[in-house]
Amino acid sequence: DKQQATKRLLSEQAYHITPTQYKTIVGDAATYWAFECLVNDRGAFGPAELADITGLPKAALEAGLKKLAAHKLARRVGAGRYKSPLTGKFYMFPKTFPGIEAYRKRLAKIISEMVARRGAITHESGVMIRAEEGSVLRSIAAMRDALEASTAYSVYEKAEGSGVFLLQIRARKALDF
């Protein structure tokens, strides 16, 4: 099946973030946002520039950059500036490991706090339907493929109107009926 082959090819081409690397990335807001800035730009950044971009403390960002470098998610390129070897590459966070839910919740909080502090909600939409759960799960799989395809629109240099956007799919069961 073409869809399965595409998923397998993406998985084989992707850089798989290890659970240890993931725990480091989402360990605190400064490390997470340093990671996001580095993987989303081909340039090099130091803590002062990241502080200007994120509004987070320079010292926390400097510590975050060092953590990322220690886990091979960033490399120092001179004078306190760092780049990521993952820029422009498709990478995947781990799907499961013991305790992952606590890290996912932490990450959701880190992102929500940044959106509230520096960002904006650019679009929300949804629909309430009555359906069998299996049908909903199949629908989500199709939406997930479209979501992953949206990475084709990524830019890795500053452009007018560019920003870091979270695109997500969320399904919540409201009640049994």
Side-chain angles (χ1 to χ4, degrees):
D1 155 86
K2 184 178 177 182
Q3 186 177 16
Q4 290 292 59
T6 301
K7 283 183 181 180
R8 188 176 62 248
L9 180 61
L10 274 176
S11 180
E12 290 172 1
Q13 299 295 321
Y15 178 86
H16 293 270
I17 303 284
T18 69
T20 300
Q21 289 173 319
Y22 180 74
K23 290 174 186 179
T24 298
I25 293 166
V26 304
D28 60 81
T31 303
Y32 176 73
W33 289 110
F35 173 79
E36 284 295 345
C37 289
L38 292 180
V39 299
N40 281 293
D41 197 289
R42 296 190 197 288
F45 294 91
E49 292 161 291
L50 293 175
D52 289 343
I53 294 165
T54 64
L56 297 171
K58 180 181 166 186
L61 288 157
E62 185 171 12
L65 288 166
K66 289 177 181 177
K67 290 177 201 173
L68 293 172
H71 290 276
K72 305 203 182 315
L73 296 164
R75 70 180 191 282
R76 191 174 175 145
V77 292
R81 298 173 65 75
Y82 293 80
K83 292 180 84 160
S84 176
L86 300 180
T87 303
K89 294 188 167 69
F90 186 78
Y91 61 88
M92 297 175 67
F93 285 152
K95 294 190 186 315
T96 187
F97 61 82
I100 193 169
E101 281 310 310
Y103 288 95
R104 286 185 178 146
K105 286 179 183 174
R106 181 182 298 156
L107 179 55
K109 182 177 183 237
I110 288 168
I111 293 169
S112 292
E113 288 172 349
M114 184 60 75
V115 170
R117 190 169 53 250
R118 302 285 271 212
I121 295 173
T122 56
H123 175 82
E124 286 186 353
S125 62
V127 61
M128 187 72 78
I129 63 171
R130 183 180 186 184
E132 294 174 356
E133 189 169 341
S135 297
V136 171
L137 294 175
R138 285 187 293 282
S139 175
I140 289 169
M143 288 187 278
R144 190 172 44 243
D145 290 342
L147 190 65
E148 288 174 359
S150 70
T151 61
Y153 297 103
S154 296
V155 295
Y156 300 101
E157 292 86 22
K158 183 135 181 80
E160 185 176 333
S162 68
V164 176
F165 292 84
L166 170 65
L167 306 177
Q168 61 188 167
I169 300 166
R170 187 163 101 171
R172 297 180 286 170
K173 185 176 186 178
L175 54 95
D176 286 321
F177 180 55

